[in-house]
Amino acid sequence: MLSVCAMYAQKPTDYVNPFIGTEGMGHTFPGACAPFGIVQLSPDNDTIPHNVGGKYQPRVYEYCAGYQHGDSTIVGFSHTHFSGTGHSDLGDILVMPGTGAIQLNPGTATDPDSGYRSRFSHDSEKASPGYYEVTLSDYGIRAQMTASQRVGVHRYTFPQGSDGHVVIDLQHGIYNYDGKTLWAEMRVENDTLITGYRITNGWARTNYTYFAISLSQPIIEYGYTDRQKTDYKGGWGKFPQFHNFPEMAGRKLVAWFRFDTAKEPVVEMKVALSATSTEGALLNLRAEAAGKSFEQICKGTENAWNAELETIQVEGTEDQKAMFYTSYYHTMINPSVYMDVDGSYRGLDRNIHKAEGFTNYTVFSLWDTYRAEHPFLALMKPQQARDMAISMIRHQQQSVHGLLPVWSHMGNDNWCMSGYHATSVLADAITKGLDIDKEEALKAMIKTSNVEYYAGLGEYIQLGYVPLDKTATAASNTLEYSYDDWTIYHTALLAGDTKTADTYRKRAMYYSNIYDTELGFARPKYTDGSFKKDFDVRQTYGEGFIEGNSWNFSFHVPQDINGLMKLMGGDKKFIADMDELFGMDLDPKYYEDNEDITAECLIGGYVHGNEPSHHIPYLYAWTSQPWKTQYWLREVMNSKYLNHIRGLGGNDDCGQMSAWYIFTAMGFYPVCPGTDQYVFGAPYLPYMKISLPNGKTLEIKAPAVSDTNRYVKEVRLNGKPYGKMYITHDDILAGGTLEYIMSAKPNKKRGLAASDKPYSLSE
Amino acid sequence: MLSVCAMYAQKPTDYVNPFIGTEGMGHTFPGACAPFGIVQLSPDNDTIPHNVGGKYQPRVYEYCAGYQHGDSTIVGFSHTHFSGTGHSDLGDILVMPGTGAIQLNPGTATDPDSGYRSRFSHDSEKASPGYYEVTLSDYGIRAQMTASQRVGVHRYTFPQGSDGHVVIDLQHGIYNYDGKTLWAEMRVENDTLITGYRITNGWARTNYTYFAISLSQPIIEYGYTDRQKTDYKGGWGKFPQFHNFPEMAGRKLVAWFRFDTAKEPVVEMKVALSATSTEGALLNLRAEAAGKSFEQICKGTENAWNAELETIQVEGTEDQKAMFYTSYYHTMINPSVYMDVDGSYRGLDRNIHKAEGFTNYTVFSLWDTYRAEHPFLALMKPQQARDMAISMIRHQQQSVHGLLPVWSHMGNDNWCMSGYHATSVLADAITKGLDIDKEEALKAMIKTSNVEYYAGLGEYIQLGYVPLDKTATAASNTLEYSYDDWTIYHTALLAGDTKTADTYRKRAMYYSNIYDTELGFARPKYTDGSFKKDFDVRQTYGEGFIEGNSWNFSFHVPQDINGLMKLMGGDKKFIADMDELFGMDLDPKYYEDNEDITAECLIGGYVHGNEPSHHIPYLYAWTSQPWKTQYWLREVMNSKYLNHIRGLGGNDDCGQMSAWYIFTAMGFYPVCPGTDQYVFGAPYLPYMKISLPNGKTLEIKAPAVSDTNRYVKEVRLNGKPYGKMYITHDDILAGGTLEYIMSAKPNKKRGLAASDKPYSLSE
């Protein structure tokens, strides 16, 4: 069979290169998925924990997406993956085909023959949105994958005359540790239908993954082993329990299924997932895959991707188009749909809820994605953005803490990173007119911001800052809470609740309590009000900030850049600090032990590969030298986003890096989500045509743009000169033409008037 | 507070002594439960597995009900128990109050101070249906318990001025082993409401127990430990996770909750269970316990018991009444309701099903209970009996094997013992006119009897017997399958399916394939048709029978006693075999290693303490000496049923021993369930008045009965002499008076005519 998904040229999907970011820091996966689909069917490489000095060492970081391009073996194809994260989990329901003697252990990368894994060559790999293909060279099996939102479809073509089988390993996982799988069960319902589930204690503390597998040809023999036998036998001994016995269970369950591949060399498996039940998985299987061929599902998903991607048409080099559409593609992998086709989903309280009037989503890496990913979806995918916001509110309502999601996936919160930035997403969605109940949202935001046992929040409320003696990341927590409080203030204003607005306006200024005005940077304080001594603004470790140094983090006051500038020493000093940030030669000692910050992701001391700095290039807009933004943005675009396996200068972080790319390519960026403003930078591509969700069209023109002509001389909106340093959400939704007149020289006169400056809480 | 449940005299519940059988073999528990309730709230003693030579040894047998009267400590009060079984499980959701320093381990029986357990004195214990009380002497805490069907209610009265707390141990279980609890979670929803669940891999292979706990006074401080820490932390470190943190989880979770008992010494806990979800548990809590006081719930349950028990009024000595009503009580503990108040329950396939038009039940110890317990319920509790039969059919429909329950509990089958005796229960229920879909039942029975991989069934179908080279219990399997097949034959007849009837009539005769007519006993055969050599009919071990020797098991052909008699050598030989069985001096070597057979449960070689022999005393009815039945029944009644903690001569087996007692006390017994006949023995009590479920009344009179006058001279039904050796179900349901004229001498002329003999497949 031809790769059907590769037959249709000149579509946006033809430009998507799923291999971008699969080597190094990108942490993307090359496998098959549908837009916002929960099934992300992708090859896993050497994710297996290693026995280091007798201790089982799970792979926390490098295999977040299950795949590293440098590996030479594939251990199997699992159905759930993160896209671009900095912490790993998932890899649920591993399927691996084989021939000959059945092996039930994965084996090792150094000795692939010791297990079921196989060597492979990248030459045999193909990937496009919704399609992945590879040849498993140890077996001569051609493996093809596609997926709908809830169903992964495998097609294995076995060699002529081979004795083929498939292994399903329910212990396998990404960031696995001994005991991660709490329990698994599997039922062979009939010779072409398998159901089952597993429960894991992973980064999602309690994760229920149910499945239903429909087969294209009958199983002729099967069996299983439980690598960790139970002491409890009951009367099971009266059965041939491990051979052709349809009821399997165990902590470390690995099953095998033989097929008559000599007679029919192709085995197709449709694997539907559900978080509620095998009944839910069967429902999903029937709704999305029953009666459909591999080609139909693959084509359907390719069409779905094109429908999403063709809403933006761009001109540029082939590499630029690849980068653009791959970025757009990456913005629609996570968050992912987390409910059955009938709306049933598993809530934070482990109960089964029905999503009434919305689609429930999961995988919210909010410390990353509140910045650009969610604002981007609010602009281009408002229906999904609205449903994600409601999903967050439901999460809060089901949380025993009353907390909005922090870093949540699969009905759990793993509490990774800091802040309560879901408030930003809600405020932004409300500001941008998405259909969300303001009062309900505000209630969830207020409750969240008052959970006193959450990471120094009680002390923050009491003292006006998080003290360093309470929390190691006290300073960044203070900055993040303060911005989040501004989003509550802003929402309360929109909801007409002035009393709440007053309260949170004060809290939105708490950031100012930790600036050392002599030093001109943020600096953590102790409970007694004294600043930390022996403080190094370049140092990432132990200085009170999370994954960032003070030099970067001090700029994190998106709600009040004017106020911030004063604290940091005024316009000149602020500009000088930014200039130095981009220009400095940062000693590696300041970051070398941090897995999220490498030389690859730096420009001077500016860390594009990690999120806290993402808005910094745009901050020149508030100063007397706005044009400097334009210079540095192109430097970032040219160096941190390459059409190459190692093309991402940091974790894609569930679309945040990619959404940054798209906004920046358009020429503007939501520095302060919650406002209706996008702050101007400089466009990256000569032409872009945006089909807006409201049916209107916005053309963005910058015909002269180039590395030389990187400066914006003038902006014209619908033909008229436009002098403000920002464009509003309504301006964009009105459609028309946004034209950038580019130049090799900066226009140092533009955007200097106070009335042209973007939003700031203080004047 | 007075024990409200003890204040109302002259009710049947006053005669119930829940301590009968709590020492030794009875395996009953003294705790509180409602009729057919799933919550059986009872103290657990030394159920903790012991470390024997470095190996963790769970207690399989002696603590089946969690309690042994000889113990001197109580480890806590758990919510689920078996009544009278021979294998253990459950003990879910252990609650233990304490004062002073909080201990989170149970400690040992030899050193109770090393853990949270407490010494107690039986002097402080009281128990009646729906009520249990004890003083925990180490703490001076008075503990009182009551229960509705789905809610256990604890009342702990702490000493004046004490610093009281409660421990909830989610690792505790009966027949616990290291790792039995797969996972547990708990949420402190607010200061008077806790929810949670645990999943166990026990005798029920995968058992989900959810709970909701409502408290009478607020928690002032709480925390937990996980005895087996997980490697996976996520971002949880930002919380004070083990102290006053409302979201707990772990493999071995033990939580503690402090109360201001100095201010208010009484803490009441309402603990609702569910198999579906915490939402289901909350639903059950609201429906059965919300707004009700301890006294109201206790009184409600006492009333429910009296309503059930007063349907039979008896005369006799105080001990006889205690034995009678305790037996009746024991028939209504298992099976137990297994669904939420809205009908939701967890099926065999782990999906949540809705019980439409029936109440779903669980705990089917069918090898035991098909004999008398289910027939008794079909007679006296037809609504429950019908719903149990439908529950079994649903079980079969959800089973991936298509098997009716064998020994099932909590949505699992543990496959204990042998046969597929649910077919007997269904056949009996249909014969007795219960509202069950015959076709649906028959389909389930046929499917069950053709699962070839089940314990030699394939060979049985092929050869006409289970060969010993296939299965160690080949001979008893053959006998049991053959009877079960008769029940299918009989049901097919009733359903008008003559073709199926023909098939199963043949199979109902397969028992005859394993009788050695020279020896006059059943004897296992090999596949080649040869009998086992070196065969000992007295030997319980290794001779092809399950928990019984050939001498006992050979009589297990209830469907065809006439045919059996011929195979065993005819009337005289048959009588002689039975006489010798009751009279022999059985060498202990024949049973001493079998935990289910002890000297205490024997009469000669007849094993009343185990089920295969239960119908044997009645088999004289088919012979020329029917009167011998009458002699031996009174021997059994007098010696195996005593109003004493050690009063049961064997496991009560979920009511089977007790139902045997009640039937025998009435003077008849369902030797062959599935027929409409009850075979006459001799009455045990002088008077019995039965309020039948159809509203009619049957009086059973035997005014002259005594140990001396143990023989039945004549039977009169509604004043007319009644010569048959059986009474039919319709005769009983018609009500009226059944009078036994008793005598010190047997009437050797009664019941000899062929036309008066009970049912037999062969003439």
Side-chain angles (χ1 to χ4, degrees):
Chain A
M1 191 196 81
L2 272 174
S3 164
V4 288
C5 290
M7 287 165 60
Y8 303 84
Q10 310 305 331
K11 294 265 175 61
T13 48
D14 297 329
Y15 294 110
V16 175
N17 176 6
F19 291 104
I20 291 178
T22 58
E23 183 173 286
M25 298 281 285
H27 293 182
T28 52
F29 60 80
C33 61
F36 305 106
I38 190 69
V39 166
Q40 293 145 348
L41 178 53
S42 191
D44 292 341
N45 310 123
D46 199 21
T47 60
I48 314 296
H50 283 210
N51 190 325
V52 180
K55 199 167 146 52
Y56 220 41
Q57 295 284 15
R59 310 271 207 162
V60 185
Y61 188 72
E62 65 271 56
Y63 287 89
C64 288
Y67 187 92
Q68 276 292 356
H69 200 273
D71 286 357
S72 57
T73 65
I74 285 175
V75 81
F77 305 93
S78 71
H79 292 78
T80 55
H81 292 88
F82 285 138
S83 180
T85 59
H87 197 297
S88 55
D89 201 13
L90 308 179
D92 297 291
I93 324 302
L94 184 91
V95 173
M96 182 65 180
T99 59
I102 294 167
Q103 301 202 72
L104 296 178
N105 283 297
T108 61
T110 48
D111 181 12
D113 298 324
S114 62
Y116 55 65
R117 79 173 68 203
S118 171
R119 296 169 186 83
F120 75 108
S121 158
H122 290 299
D123 296 342
S124 74
E125 264 186 321
K126 288 180 194 164
S128 60
Y131 184 75
Y132 174 82
E133 175 182 335
V134 71
T135 296
L136 300 168
S137 48
D138 288 357
Y139 305 113
I141 296 167
R142 189 178 181 211
Q144 296 166 284
M145 316 272 141
T146 188
S148 61
Q149 281 198 314
R150 297 166 180 87
V151 183
V153 187
H154 309 235
R155 167 180 280 172
Y156 298 120
T157 305
F158 291 82
Q160 283 294 332
S162 66
D163 175 23
H165 63 265
V166 158
V167 168
I168 300 180
D169 186 339
L170 295 184
Q171 190 195 354
H172 170 89
I174 300 174
Y175 188 18
N176 223 358
Y177 72 99
D178 190 35
K180 176 180 176 182
T181 302
L182 299 169
W183 194 239
E185 292 197 88
M186 209 187 292
R187 285 164 52 121
V188 181
E189 304 282 353
N190 59 52
D191 63 5
T192 58
L193 182 65
I194 304 165
T195 62
Y197 69 96
R198 72 170 190 167
I199 311 171
T200 48
N201 167 230
W203 205 37
R205 188 154 78 163
T206 312
N207 186 7
Y208 294 78
T209 309
Y210 296 82
F211 58 88
I213 303 176
S214 154
L215 298 160
S216 65
Q217 62 165 292
I219 300 159
I220 57 169
E221 189 189 4
Y222 65 100
Y224 83 106
T225 188
D226 180 6
R227 294 182 187 135
Q228 182 185 350
K229 292 281 187 300
T230 167
D231 288 353
Y232 244 7
K233 291 286 185 299
W236 291 85
K238 67 179 51 139
F239 291 113
Q241 205 188 323
F242 296 97
H243 186 233
N244 287 349
F245 186 72
E247 191 175 5
M248 317 178 191
R251 288 171 181 75
K252 297 178 178 175
L253 198 170
V254 190
W256 54 272
F257 301 88
R258 289 210 310 113
F259 300 92
D260 189 354
T261 54
K263 187 174 155 201
E264 168 50 63
V266 174
V267 175
E268 286 183 6
M269 303 173 72
K270 294 172 177 169
V271 182
L273 298 191
S274 166
T276 69
S277 57
T278 58
E279 195 181 19
L282 281 165
L283 200 68
N284 296 336
L285 182 69
R286 286 185 208 110
E288 296 190 352
K292 291 183 187 166
S293 68
F294 184 97
E295 287 76 5
Q296 284 172 318
I297 293 168
C298 187
K299 192 77 191 72
T301 296
E302 191 202 19
N303 289 346
W305 276 116
N306 276 317
E308 298 291 356
L309 298 171
E310 70 193 4
T311 54
I312 307 182
Q313 292 174 29
V314 300
E315 287 179 11
T317 66
E318 291 302 291
D319 278 344
Q320 284 170 339
K321 284 184 189 172
M323 197 66 234
F324 184 88
Y325 283 112
T326 304
S327 296
Y328 200 2
Y329 170 75
H330 282 153
T331 66
M332 290 180 278
I333 296 177
N334 296 133
S336 312
V337 165
Y338 192 61
M339 66 177 209
D340 297 334
V341 290
D342 71 349
S344 300
Y345 69 98
R346 189 173 295 271
L348 269 271
D349 55 5
R350 311 288 175 247
N351 289 314
I352 307 304
H353 297 261
K354 203 94 174 184
E356 305 283 0
F358 74 107
T359 296
N360 192 57
Y361 286 89
T362 193
V363 188
F364 294 125
S365 179
L366 285 156
W367 186 80
D368 304 305
T369 55
Y370 83 89
R371 303 167 200 263
E373 163 75 1
H374 285 288
F376 177 70
L377 296 177
L379 175 63
M380 291 303 299
K381 311 291 167 189
Q383 182 62 45
Q384 286 88 341
R386 169 199 175 261
D387 289 352
M388 289 171 196
I390 296 177
S391 302
M392 292 177 198
I393 294 170
R394 294 288 170 275
H395 174 121
Q396 186 275 336
Q397 291 165 343
Q398 293 156 12
S399 160
V400 73
H401 314 290
L403 277 164
L404 281 160
V406 173
W407 206 129
S408 72
H409 67 291
M410 313 306 179
N412 288 264
D413 206 315
N414 61 56
W415 312 111
C416 190
M417 303 312 292
S418 47
Y420 35 87
H421 304 305
T423 62
S424 169
V425 178
L426 295 182
D428 196 54
I430 289 167
T431 294
K432 289 166 184 173
L434 305 190
D435 178 24
I436 294 159
D437 183 324
K438 283 190 194 69
E439 281 68 34
E440 196 181 38
L442 185 60
K443 196 176 163 190
M445 294 157 88
I446 292 170
K447 172 67 185 161
T448 295
S449 64
N450 285 292
V451 175
E452 299 198 350
Y453 53 76
Y454 176 70
L457 189 48
E459 291 77 5
Y460 168 83
I461 293 167
Q462 202 185 341
L463 302 172
Y465 61 94
V466 180
L468 188 61
D469 38 321
K470 173 72 187 178
T471 306
T473 58
S476 52
N477 284 13
T478 301
L479 298 177
E480 296 186 7
Y481 294 163
S482 187
Y483 161 67
D484 293 339
D485 289 342
W486 175 86
T487 69
I488 303 175
Y489 152 73
H490 186 71
T491 304
L493 279 187
L494 293 175
D497 180 349
T498 52
K499 193 167 165 235
T500 297
D502 286 349
T503 302
Y504 283 88
R505 195 190 191 289
K506 289 189 192 84
R507 288 176 55 160
M509 292 300 293
Y510 282 1
Y511 79 89
S512 62
N513 294 333
I514 59 157
Y515 280 79
D516 177 349
T517 49
E518 283 185 36
L519 184 68
F521 285 100
R523 181 171 187 175
K525 266 184 185 167
Y526 294 104
T527 302
D528 67 7
S530 67
F531 282 117
K532 179 181 186 297
K533 293 186 180 45
D534 303 324
F535 184 65
D536 184 341
V537 292
R538 285 175 175 78
Q539 179 54 266
T540 304
Y541 312 107
E543 299 290 31
F545 298 88
I546 191 163
E547 288 189 12
N549 59 20
S550 174
W551 203 307
N552 277 281
F553 243 115
S554 290
F555 294 103
H556 187 276
V557 187
Q559 75 275 25
D560 192 25
I561 302 299
N562 291 348
L564 175 67
M565 263 196 282
K566 283 177 198 149
L567 287 175
M568 288 182 72
D571 178 70
K572 291 286 169 295
K573 163 76 162 47
F574 193 76
I575 292 168
D577 286 342
M578 283 203 285
D579 289 349
E580 188 172 347
L581 178 66
F582 288 109
M584 73 174 61
D585 185 12
L586 189 66
D587 191 323
K589 75 175 182 184
Y590 287 122
Y591 59 85
E592 64 195 353
D593 291 340
N594 190 308
E595 59 196 2
D596 280 305
I597 304 173
T598 66
E600 227 169 325
C601 73
L602 293 175
I603 292 184
Y606 166 78
V607 187
H608 191 72
N610 206 14
E611 275 69 12
S613 322
H614 273 188
H615 64 301
I616 296 178
Y618 286 93
L619 297 187
Y620 288 106
W622 278 260
T623 73
S624 58
Q625 300 177 5
W627 56 273
K628 285 188 173 169
T629 291
Q630 301 155 19
Y631 177 84
W632 288 114
L633 287 178
R634 199 155 188 99
E635 290 301 295
V636 178
M637 295 291 270
N638 281 344
S639 65
K640 305 304 173 205
Y641 295 91
L642 304 171
N643 179 15
H644 183 271
I645 51 171
R646 209 177 176 87
L648 293 182
N651 308 151
D652 190 62
D653 284 321
C654 302
Q656 166 58 25
M657 285 280 277
S658 291
W660 190 97
Y661 179 90
I662 297 173
F663 269 127
T664 297
M666 289 174 174
F668 46 77
Y669 184 84
V671 171
C672 182
T675 70
D676 65 344
Q677 298 181 354
Y678 302 87
V679 176
F680 277 122
Y684 188 65
L685 301 174
Y687 180 77
M688 209 180 278
K689 182 176 165 190
I690 303 173
S691 301
L692 294 158
N694 61 7
K696 298 189 179 172
T697 301
L698 178 71
E699 286 185 288
I700 301 176
K701 299 180 180 173
V705 75
S706 68
D707 286 348
T708 309
N709 294 329
R710 64 172 64 187
Y711 295 106
V712 178
K713 184 177 173 190
E714 190 186 335
V715 172
R716 289 184 195 152
L717 185 61
N718 295 318
K720 293 179 192 163
Y722 188 88
K724 292 188 187 302
M725 289 310 294
Y726 61 88
I727 185 168
T728 68
H729 192 67
D730 285 347
D731 286 338
I732 292 174
L733 289 191
T737 306
L738 176 67
E739 196 175 352
Y740 298 93
I741 315 300
M742 305 305 291
S743 164
K745 283 189 189 169
N747 177 350
K748 298 188 178 178
K749 303 278 162 69
R750 270 198 89 242
L752 302 182
S755 58
D756 290 336
K757 293 293 187 190
Y759 175 86
S760 175
L761 184 57
S762 309
E763 290 192 357
Chain B
M1 192 197 80
L2 271 172
S3 161
V4 287
C5 290
M7 286 165 61
Y8 303 83
Q10 310 305 331
K11 295 263 175 64
T13 48
D14 297 329
Y15 294 110
V16 175
N17 176 6
F19 291 104
I20 292 177
T22 58
E23 183 172 288
M25 299 280 286
H27 293 184
T28 53
F29 61 79
C33 61
F36 305 106
I38 191 69
V39 167
Q40 293 145 347
L41 176 52
S42 191
D44 292 342
N45 310 123
D46 197 21
T47 59
I48 314 297
H50 283 210
N51 190 324
V52 181
K55 197 166 148 52
Y56 220 39
Q57 295 284 13
R59 310 271 208 164
V60 185
Y61 189 72
E62 65 270 56
Y63 287 88
C64 288
Y67 187 93
Q68 276 292 355
H69 200 273
D71 286 357
S72 56
T73 66
I74 285 174
V75 81
F77 305 94
S78 71
H79 291 78
T80 55
H81 292 87
F82 285 138
S83 181
T85 59
H87 198 296
S88 55
D89 200 13
L90 309 179
D92 297 291
I93 325 301
L94 185 91
V95 173
M96 182 65 180
T99 59
I102 294 168
Q103 300 203 72
L104 294 179
N105 282 298
T108 61
T110 48
D111 181 14
D113 298 325
S114 63
Y116 56 63
R117 78 173 70 204
S118 171
R119 296 170 187 83
F120 76 107
S121 158
H122 289 299
D123 296 343
S124 75
E125 265 186 321
K126 287 180 194 163
S128 61
Y131 184 75
Y132 174 81
E133 174 181 338
V134 70
T135 296
L136 300 168
S137 48
D138 288 357
Y139 305 113
I141 297 167
R142 189 179 181 211
Q144 295 166 286
M145 316 273 142
T146 188
S148 61
Q149 281 198 314
R150 297 167 180 86
V151 184
V153 188
H154 308 235
R155 165 180 280 174
Y156 298 119
T157 306
F158 290 83
Q160 282 294 331
S162 66
D163 175 22
H165 64 264
V166 158
V167 168
I168 300 180
D169 187 339
L170 295 185
Q171 191 196 353
H172 170 90
I174 300 174
Y175 187 19
N176 222 357
Y177 71 99
D178 190 34
K180 176 179 176 182
T181 302
L182 299 169
W183 193 240
E185 293 197 88
M186 209 187 292
R187 284 165 51 121
V188 181
E189 304 282 351
N190 59 51
D191 63 3
T192 58
L193 182 65
I194 304 164
T195 61
Y197 70 95
R198 72 170 191 168
I199 311 172
T200 49
N201 167 231
W203 204 36
R205 189 155 77 164
T206 312
N207 186 6
Y208 294 77
T209 308
Y210 295 82
F211 58 88
I213 303 177
S214 154
L215 299 159
S216 64
Q217 60 165 291
I219 301 159
I220 57 170
E221 189 189 4
Y222 66 100
Y224 83 108
T225 187
D226 180 7
R227 293 181 188 135
Q228 183 185 348
K229 292 283 188 296
T230 167
D231 287 352
Y232 244 7
K233 291 288 184 296
W236 292 84
K238 66 180 52 140
F239 291 113
Q241 205 188 326
F242 297 97
H243 186 235
N244 287 349
F245 186 71
E247 191 174 5
M248 317 178 191
R251 288 170 182 75
K252 297 179 178 175
L253 197 170
V254 191
W256 54 272
F257 301 88
R258 290 209 311 111
F259 300 92
D260 188 355
T261 54
K263 186 174 155 202
E264 167 50 61
V266 174
V267 175
E268 286 183 7
M269 303 173 71
K270 293 172 178 169
V271 182
L273 298 191
S274 165
T276 68
S277 57
T278 58
E279 195 181 20
L282 281 165
L283 200 68
N284 295 336
L285 182 70
R286 286 186 207 109
E288 295 189 353
K292 291 183 187 166
S293 68
F294 184 98
E295 287 77 4
Q296 284 172 318
I297 293 168
C298 187
K299 193 75 190 71
T301 295
E302 191 201 18
N303 289 345
W305 276 115
N306 277 317
E308 299 291 355
L309 297 171
E310 71 193 6
T311 54
I312 307 182
Q313 291 174 29
V314 300
E315 286 179 11
T317 66
E318 291 301 291
D319 278 345
Q320 284 171 340
K321 284 184 188 173
M323 198 66 233
F324 183 88
Y325 282 112
T326 304
S327 295
Y328 200 1
Y329 170 75
H330 282 152
T331 66
M332 289 180 279
I333 294 177
N334 296 134
S336 312
V337 165
Y338 192 61
M339 67 178 209
D340 297 335
V341 291
D342 71 350
S344 300
Y345 69 99
R346 188 174 296 271
L348 270 272
D349 55 4
R350 311 289 174 246
N351 289 313
I352 307 304
H353 297 261
K354 203 93 173 185
E356 303 284 0
F358 74 107
T359 296
N360 192 56
Y361 286 89
T362 193
V363 188
F364 293 127
S365 179
L366 285 156
W367 186 80
D368 305 304
T369 55
Y370 83 88
R371 303 166 200 265
E373 163 75 2
H374 285 289
F376 178 70
L377 296 177
L379 176 63
M380 291 303 299
K381 311 291 167 190
Q383 182 63 45
Q384 286 88 340
R386 168 199 175 264
D387 289 352
M388 289 171 196
I390 296 177
S391 302
M392 292 177 199
I393 294 170
R394 294 290 169 272
H395 174 120
Q396 187 275 335
Q397 291 165 342
Q398 293 156 10
S399 160
V400 73
H401 314 290
L403 277 164
L404 281 159
V406 173
W407 206 128
S408 73
H409 68 290
M410 312 306 179
N412 288 265
D413 206 314
N414 61 57
W415 312 111
C416 190
M417 305 312 293
S418 47
Y420 35 88
H421 304 305
T423 63
S424 169
V425 177
L426 295 182
D428 196 54
I430 289 167
T431 295
K432 288 165 185 174
L434 304 190
D435 178 25
I436 295 159
D437 183 322
K438 284 191 196 69
E439 281 67 34
E440 196 181 36
L442 185 60
K443 196 176 163 193
M445 294 157 88
I446 292 170
K447 172 67 184 159
T448 296
S449 64
N450 285 294
V451 175
E452 300 199 349
Y453 53 76
Y454 175 69
L457 189 48
E459 291 78 5
Y460 168 84
I461 294 166
Q462 201 185 342
L463 302 172
Y465 61 93
V466 179
L468 188 60
D469 38 320
K470 173 73 188 178
T471 305
T473 58
S476 53
N477 284 12
T478 301
L479 298 176
E480 295 186 7
Y481 294 163
S482 188
Y483 161 66
D484 292 339
D485 288 343
W486 175 86
T487 69
I488 302 175
Y489 152 73
H490 186 71
T491 305
L493 279 187
L494 293 175
D497 180 348
T498 51
K499 191 166 167 233
T500 298
D502 286 348
T503 301
Y504 283 89
R505 193 189 192 289
K506 289 188 192 86
R507 288 175 56 159
M509 292 301 292
Y510 282 1
Y511 78 88
S512 62
N513 294 334
I514 60 156
Y515 280 79
D516 177 349
T517 51
E518 282 184 39
L519 184 69
F521 285 100
R523 183 170 184 174
K525 267 185 185 166
Y526 294 104
T527 302
D528 67 7
S530 67
F531 283 116
K532 178 181 188 296
K533 292 185 180 45
D534 303 324
F535 185 63
D536 184 342
V537 292
R538 286 175 174 77
Q539 180 53 267
T540 303
Y541 312 107
E543 298 290 32
F545 297 89
I546 191 163
E547 288 189 14
N549 58 22
S550 175
W551 205 306
N552 277 278
F553 242 115
S554 290
F555 293 104
H556 187 275
V557 187
Q559 75 275 25
D560 192 23
I561 303 300
N562 290 347
L564 175 66
M565 264 197 282
K566 283 177 199 151
L567 287 175
M568 288 183 71
D571 177 70
K572 290 287 167 296
K573 164 75 165 41
F574 194 75
I575 292 169
D577 285 344
M578 283 205 283
D579 290 350
E580 190 174 344
L581 178 66
F582 288 110
M584 71 173 63
D585 185 10
L586 188 65
D587 190 322
K589 76 175 182 184
Y590 285 125
Y591 60 85
E592 65 194 353
D593 289 340
N594 189 308
E595 58 196 3
D596 281 305
I597 304 172
T598 66
E600 229 170 323
C601 73
L602 292 174
I603 292 184
Y606 167 79
V607 187
H608 191 71
N610 206 13
E611 275 70 13
S613 320
H614 273 187
H615 64 300
I616 296 179
Y618 286 93
L619 297 188
Y620 287 108
W622 276 260
T623 74
S624 59
Q625 300 178 3
W627 54 274
K628 285 186 172 169
T629 292
Q630 300 154 21
Y631 177 84
W632 288 113
L633 288 178
R634 199 156 188 98
E635 290 302 295
V636 178
M637 295 291 270
N638 282 344
S639 66
K640 304 303 173 207
Y641 295 92
L642 304 172
N643 178 17
H644 183 271
I645 51 170
R646 212 176 173 87
L648 292 181
N651 306 152
D652 191 61
D653 283 323
C654 302
Q656 167 57 26
M657 285 280 277
S658 292
W660 191 97
Y661 180 90
I662 298 173
F663 270 127
T664 297
M666 289 173 172
F668 47 76
Y669 184 84
V671 171
C672 182
T675 70
D676 66 344
Q677 298 182 354
Y678 303 87
V679 176
F680 277 121
Y684 188 64
L685 301 174
Y687 179 76
M688 207 180 279
K689 184 177 164 187
I690 303 173
S691 301
L692 293 158
N694 61 7
K696 297 189 179 174
T697 301
L698 177 69
E699 286 186 288
I700 300 176
K701 298 178 180 175
V705 75
S706 69
D707 285 349
T708 309
N709 294 327
R710 65 172 64 187
Y711 294 107
V712 177
K713 186 178 173 190
E714 192 185 334
V715 173
R716 288 181 195 156
L717 184 61
N718 295 319
K720 292 179 191 164
Y722 188 88
K724 292 189 187 302
M725 288 311 292
Y726 61 89
I727 185 168
T728 69
H729 193 67
D730 285 347
D731 286 338
I732 292 173
L733 290 190
T737 306
L738 176 66
E739 195 176 355
Y740 297 93
I741 315 300
M742 305 304 291
S743 162
K745 284 189 187 166
N747 177 350
K748 299 187 177 180
K749 302 281 163 69
R750 271 197 89 244
L752 302 183
S755 60
D756 290 336
K757 292 293 187 190
Y759 175 86
S760 175
L761 183 58
S762 308
E763 289 193 358

